[in-house]
Every structure is written in C-alpha cells, then in structure tokens.
Amino acid sequence: MKTVLDTAIPPDLRRLVRIAGVHWELVLGTLLVVLSAFGLIASPWLLGKAVNELQRGSTESLIEVSLAVAGAGLLTALTTGGGTWLLGRYAVSAGMRIRELLYDRLLRASLDLYQAQPPAQLVARATADVEPIKFFVSTGVGLVAQSVGTLAFAIAVMFFMDAELAALAVSPFLLAVFVQLRYGARTRAATTVAEQRRGEVAAKTADNIRGAKLVMSLGRGQEQKAGFDRAVEALFTGWLKVGKLDAVYGSILSAIPYIALGLVLAFGGRAVLDGRISLGEFVTFYGYGGILAAAAGQIGYLTYLTASASGSAGRIVELFDHRADGGAADAAVPVPEGANLGLREVSVSRRGAEAPLQGVSLNVPSGETVALVGVTDAGMQTLLELVNGLLVPDEGEVELDGRRLDRVDLPLLRGLSAPAGQGALFAMSIAENIAYGRPDASRADVEKAARLAHAQEVALRLSDGYDTQVGEEGGQLSGGERQRIGLARALLVHHPILLLDNVTSALDPQAANEVLDGLARGTAGATRLMATFRPAALTLADRIVVLDAGRVIAVGTHSELLETCPPYRDMVALWEFE
C-alpha cells in the first residue's frame, strides 16, 4: 500500500485520500489490481513452456498449459474487474466525503477568503475540481497499482531467468523514468495553470449572468464578450500547452519500449543461437518485454491523469489549509445569554476587512443599544463582522462576557448573535427565508416576525403569499423588500445580541420609521449594535459611537455629540438635509 500510494501519487492527492479516509474498498481494490499482475506475468512463462514442449516434439502437456493460460486470463479478468469496481465505489464515496468536508470548511472559513476569491472560483473548486480526483482514484490508482505490480514482477522474473539479458532489456526504461519525471513536473505545472484559467472562465460567466441586466442597460455586452473571449482564449492556450507536452513526451515514452524490444530480439536471438537460452525462454523473455512495453505505454496517460488530479487537489487543499475562524478550546463552556461585549485595542488591517480599524476600544453592557456612525469606510461594518466572528483582529481582543471570542466555538458564538439588514436571500419561499435561522418556527411566528419588520405587505401582494419563491439571491424582489425579509429573519430567532447593518438603507423615510418602530418592539431587552446613516435610527440608541478612518473619535448621546463633536454635527446636518 505504501509503495503505490506514497511513492507514485503526489502529496496533495495522498492528503486528500487521508482526508476522505482510507476505506476497505481502496485497500482491497488496490490489492486485487496488483494481483492481476500475476495473471499477466504467468502468460509469457506458460507460452515459453509450450514452445519448449513443441520443440521437443511433445504435446502431452499442451492441454495443461492451454488450461493454465486460460486460467491466468480468467484470474486477470476477475481481479482487474473486482479491483476496478471497488476503486470506483471508493472514488464516489471519497468525492462525496471531500465535498462534505470542503463545504463545512467553507462555512467556517474567515471572511477574507470570500472577499479574495470570486464565488465562481470557490464553486468550481467544490464541484468541478473534485471530478479529476474521482477519476484518478477510480482509474489512475488501478493503473498505477497494476503497472507497478507488473513491472516489479516481470523484471524480477527476467533477472531470475538471465540477469545479463534482463539488464539489457531494462536499461532503456531508465531513460523512461527520467523522461517521465520531467514530463510529470511540467505537466502538473501546466495543468494547474489551465485549471486556474477554467475557474476564471467560470467566474466571468457567473458575473455576466448575475449582472445581465446591468450589462444590457449600459450597453456593455460587446466589452463583456471581449473579456470573456480573452479568458476563453487563455484557457484554450493553457490546455493546448498541456496537449503539446503530452504529444512530445508521450511520443518519446512510446518509442522507448520498442528500443527495449529490439534489444531483446537482437541479443536474445543471439543467445538462442549460442545455446545460452532455449527458444521457449526467448519467447518468454520477449513476452515480458511486451508487458514492459505495455506498462511503459501507460506512463504517459498516467502522468496526464496524475497531473490533472494533482492540480485540482492542490486547489482544494488550499481551501482546507485556509485559516478557519473561531477556536474550540472553551466550546463546552456555556456563554451566558445577554453577555457583555468588549473590544480591547482592536486593530484590523489585513486583506479581507471592509475597512481597517485602529486601536478601537468599546464596552457594550447587556441590553444596551449602541449606534455606530461615520462616513463611508469608517469601519462600522468591519466592527460588526468582528463581533459576529467573521473577522479576527490582527491586534487586540474581542470579548464576550470576559471571554475572548477566538476561544468560543463558532456555532455557539453565532447562536448568540444575529446580523440583520443583510438582504441576502436563498432561492426558496419568503416563509423559508424568514425561518432560515429557526427552521422549526411555526407559520404564526414567521408571520409575527414579518409584521414587526413590515415584510407582511411584501408577501401579501404576491399571488402565493409567504409561499412565493423569491428566485436566486432574491432576484424577484426589490432591495427594500429583501431588506425587510432579512430583518424579519433576524427578529424571528430572538438572539440576545442583534447586529444591525444599515437595516433601513433601501427604504424611504416613512417605511424606515415603520421598520424601526417594529424593530424596537421586537428586540426589547436585546443587546443591539447597529451601523446606520439614518437620523431616525439614532433615537433607538442609548449611546452613539462616532468612527472616522477606523478610529473611535467620540462616544456619547445624540445631544452630547451635537454639542461636542463637530464631525458628528456635520454628518447629522447632511443626513437631515438629504
């Protein structure tokens, strides 16, 4: 097992096999395919024996030899077929397991992964990149095992029969090893680039489909098509390079076995004439040379399979290696509901943050409502994402009831806080979207949350009411309608901590006031941390925190800040004017 998996299979592929689990199907399937080599090796030996019998004019053992050849063929068929079926079965289960673990990893990944990678790239890694790995496991592992087994057994028998002739026959394959190593390295690099470009094509396709209305409304179809054509051309060039490498190195690898056969024919024939070996032994030797040629001929195909699977495995392993947010050391320790929030000299400057924070310190007692205000890119959304565990600070600490947030298990943390105002909806009904955070909620509870968020009128004006399908990303609804449903979703869960991110930004002033009134009634007693640009929302706040360029420049009530903080006074005046 170690010889096949640890020597012939690249590290990323071996790692994914370990991640998926080394099950009995993989072990038994590989062993069966290795055993099939015995049937292949037996045939030339039996054929040589038959030739020697005929040369002596004896036919007594021909029937036995014929039956043995048929038996060897049957053994090869049964072991190859059984091993291939087991490896195929394992490939399907391994692919499923990798996708499940990868999806779980993506759910726990830090936010910078999603901001650094286009969604279509992540989708391609979790779907299309798994397929070459499955194909390699179902086909490539069997070919590797059979080739390694056949080469080992054939070479051993050849050296046992005649070491000098065996060394001569095997020598060209040393060149094949060198060529294969160079071929494999270059093909893996080229395939990785091609797979990356395939992801870029998928990303452009997804972007163009999602933004189809904008593209058409601005008349940018030709420009978008030109960009897509360039991506496709780059993809074509990438795979063309892979094909060129396959053609060049594949032809070299295909020629080498015939050099070996020529040497066996020339020097083996001379050995027969000199009486050093019998004609039957020569036939056996030539048969083994043919087997070596066939095994070597598979090297090119195996190299391509390995390179393709290795490139995909590398892209998947990158996701497994990406830092996940949240720890689990204190996961068993319950976090009290309504706990105090605290930020201690928190700074965020790395890629992945919407805006950086610099030395932010803030205490939010249980049950208090704190408004975060500032100009665009002041750092309000970054602060909310820190509290929800979506980001981890570069410096400082975020605490929940005195416990560092990175020591709290993510499901536990996010079971205490709920982001509201995020209009992201799934391709399901309005009721299902509202109940997403609490799937066991009754219809009555769903409708109550909808009324508080003033989302009820959205459902009632549609033909299917709460059962109306909203389409992918809520595309059937307006921005304000999506925002109301998102708020209803947060209100239904009754989390002790509510994170409000511009919950009324897509609403007109009257609708915004109605939603804010429902929010106040539906979240009484909860700790509320809200980023807002709406003056009306400030009336809900016990305190207001003013942020500027990632720093806290003032904290106080509305009236206090109007007197003491000119930047706040200017912002309020501008908001009221708008």
Side-chain angles (χ1 to χ4, degrees):
M1 192 66 178
K2 182 177 180 181
T3 299
V4 175
L5 290 180
D6 291 348
T7 303
I9 300 178
D12 287 338
L13 280 175
R14 295 203 305 267
R15 183 175 171 190
L16 282 184
V17 169
R18 290 195 296 270
I19 289 173
V22 181
H23 296 168
W24 67 269
E25 295 102 325
L26 176 61
V27 176
L28 183 57
T30 303
L31 289 175
L32 286 175
V33 174
V34 171
L35 286 175
S36 69
F38 283 105
L40 293 173
I41 295 301
S43 296
W45 181 78
L46 292 170
L47 183 60
K49 184 177 180 181
V51 169
N52 283 337
E53 289 291 320
L54 290 173
Q55 195 175 25
R56 286 195 296 267
S58 173
T59 59
E60 294 179 359
S61 61
L62 278 182
I63 295 179
E64 290 84 350
V65 172
S66 300
L67 292 175
V69 170
L74 182 61
L75 173 65
T76 301
L78 291 176
T79 51
T80 301
T84 301
W85 182 80
L86 288 173
L87 289 173
R89 176 189 172 98
Y90 171 75
V92 173
S93 62
M96 181 178 66
R97 179 65 175 160
I98 290 171
R99 284 194 173 104
E100 289 173 347
L101 293 173
L102 187 57
Y103 184 72
D104 177 71
R105 188 68 176 182
L106 289 173
L107 290 178
R108 296 187 294 111
S110 58
L111 189 62
D112 58 342
L113 172 66
Y114 293 95
Q115 295 181 330
Q117 293 285 345
Q121 283 274 14
L122 297 177
V123 171
R125 295 189 188 198
T127 54
D129 278 342
V130 177
E131 293 305 313
I133 296 166
K134 286 173 55 182
F135 188 69
F136 177 81
V137 172
S138 63
T139 303
V141 169
L143 286 177
V144 168
Q146 191 176 62
S147 298
V148 170
T150 301
L151 287 170
F153 294 148
I155 291 172
V157 173
M158 290 171 74
F159 271 93
F160 177 78
M161 293 177 62
D162 191 305
E164 182 180 345
L165 189 57
L168 194 64
V170 171
S171 59
F173 290 98
L174 298 177
L175 175 62
V177 171
F178 171 78
V179 173
Q180 192 274 337
L181 291 175
R182 184 170 177 80
Y183 175 31
R186 297 190 65 182
T187 302
R188 275 192 292 274
T191 303
T192 299
V193 171
E195 293 287 354
Q196 179 67 27
R197 290 176 179 175
R198 183 182 66 177
E200 292 170 1
V201 170
K204 285 188 175 293
T205 302
D207 287 342
N208 288 336
I209 292 175
R210 280 197 301 266
K213 292 181 180 179
L214 178 62
V215 172
M216 290 186 287
S217 63
L218 296 179
R220 300 285 296 177
Q222 290 302 317
E223 289 79 2
Q224 290 296 106
K225 183 179 183 302
F228 181 78
D229 289 345
R230 287 192 294 272
V232 172
E233 180 67 24
L235 176 62
F236 172 77
T237 303
W239 283 115
L240 193 63
K241 183 176 181 180
V242 174
K244 181 180 179 180
L245 290 171
D246 187 40
V248 172
Y249 285 97
S251 60
I252 295 173
L253 289 172
S254 298
I256 290 174
Y258 292 99
I259 298 175
L261 287 175
L263 291 173
V264 170
L265 185 60
F267 290 90
R270 174 62 63 181
V272 172
L273 295 176
D274 292 341
R276 198 172 84 237
I277 62 174
S278 67
L279 180 61
E281 289 173 327
F282 171 76
V283 171
T284 298
F285 237 95
Y286 196 83
Y288 286 143
I291 289 175
L292 293 180
Q298 292 177 336
I299 290 177
Y301 181 57
L302 282 172
T303 302
Y304 169 75
L305 286 183
T306 305
S308 179
S310 181
S312 295
R315 284 160 51 85
I316 292 175
V317 165
E318 283 181 5
L319 299 183
F320 279 114
D321 286 341
H322 192 275
R323 176 182 54 81
D325 285 338
D330 298 335
V333 181
V335 178
E337 291 191 359
N340 301 316
L341 290 173
L343 284 81
R344 309 281 180 260
E345 294 295 325
V346 170
S347 295
V348 175
S349 59
R350 62 181 175 79
R351 182 181 182 182
E354 189 73 14
L357 295 178
Q358 304 177 51
V360 172
S361 293
L362 180 66
N363 288 314
V364 183
S366 175
E368 186 178 47
T369 298
V370 173
L372 308 173
V373 300
V375 297
T376 302
D377 293 335
M380 298 178 292
Q381 188 180 47
T382 301
L383 197 151
L384 293 180
E385 290 170 347
L386 280 168
V387 173
N388 198 35
L390 295 173
L391 289 176
V392 175
D394 296 326
E395 298 178 7
E397 296 177 355
V398 182
E399 296 179 350
L400 186 62
D401 198 40
R403 185 175 292 111
R404 284 172 44 186
L405 228 59
D406 61 356
R407 306 298 295 173
V408 178
D409 195 41
L410 274 179
L412 179 61
L413 168 64
R414 291 171 183 167
L416 293 172
S417 61
Q422 298 181 3
L425 301 181
F426 296 98
M428 53 180 66
S429 70
I430 291 175
E432 289 170 324
N433 271 289
I434 294 175
Y436 183 76
R438 187 181 149 196
D440 60 343
S442 66
R443 177 56 70 93
D445 289 337
V446 169
E447 293 181 2
K448 179 181 178 181
R451 286 194 297 271
L452 288 171
H454 287 267
Q456 184 180 28
E457 53 263 38
V458 177
L460 294 181
R461 73 172 178 80
L462 299 170
S463 58
D464 293 328
Y466 285 95
D467 296 321
T468 301
Q469 298 292 317
V470 301
E472 186 175 358
E473 297 183 355
Q476 303 299 321
L477 305 176
S478 68
E481 290 169 340
R482 290 195 296 271
Q483 202 163 49
R484 294 185 196 192
I485 293 173
L487 180 58
R489 179 172 56 204
L491 294 177
L492 178 63
V493 181
H494 299 302
H495 281 312
I497 301 172
L498 196 63
L499 307 177
L500 305 163
D501 184 11
N502 292 308
V503 292
T504 60
S505 61
L507 303 175
D508 60 66
Q510 180 179 347
N513 290 333
E514 293 173 349
V515 168
L516 290 171
D517 178 66
L519 176 64
R521 290 184 287 112
T523 61
T527 301
R528 295 177 291 202
L529 196 61
M530 61 179 181
T532 182
F533 294 103
R534 292 274 186 166
L538 301 178
T539 61
L540 298 177
D542 299 307
R543 287 187 300 154
I544 300 169
V545 176
V546 184
L547 290 157
D548 182 34
R551 296 182 180 274
V552 175
I553 62 172
V555 181
T557 64
H558 177 64
S559 58
E560 290 171 347
L561 292 174
L562 285 176
E563 295 181 5
T564 62
C565 184
Y568 177 77
R569 188 165 54 244
D570 293 341
M571 279 188 291
V572 171
L574 181 61
W575 293 341
E576 289 177 344
F577 175 77
E578 291 177 346

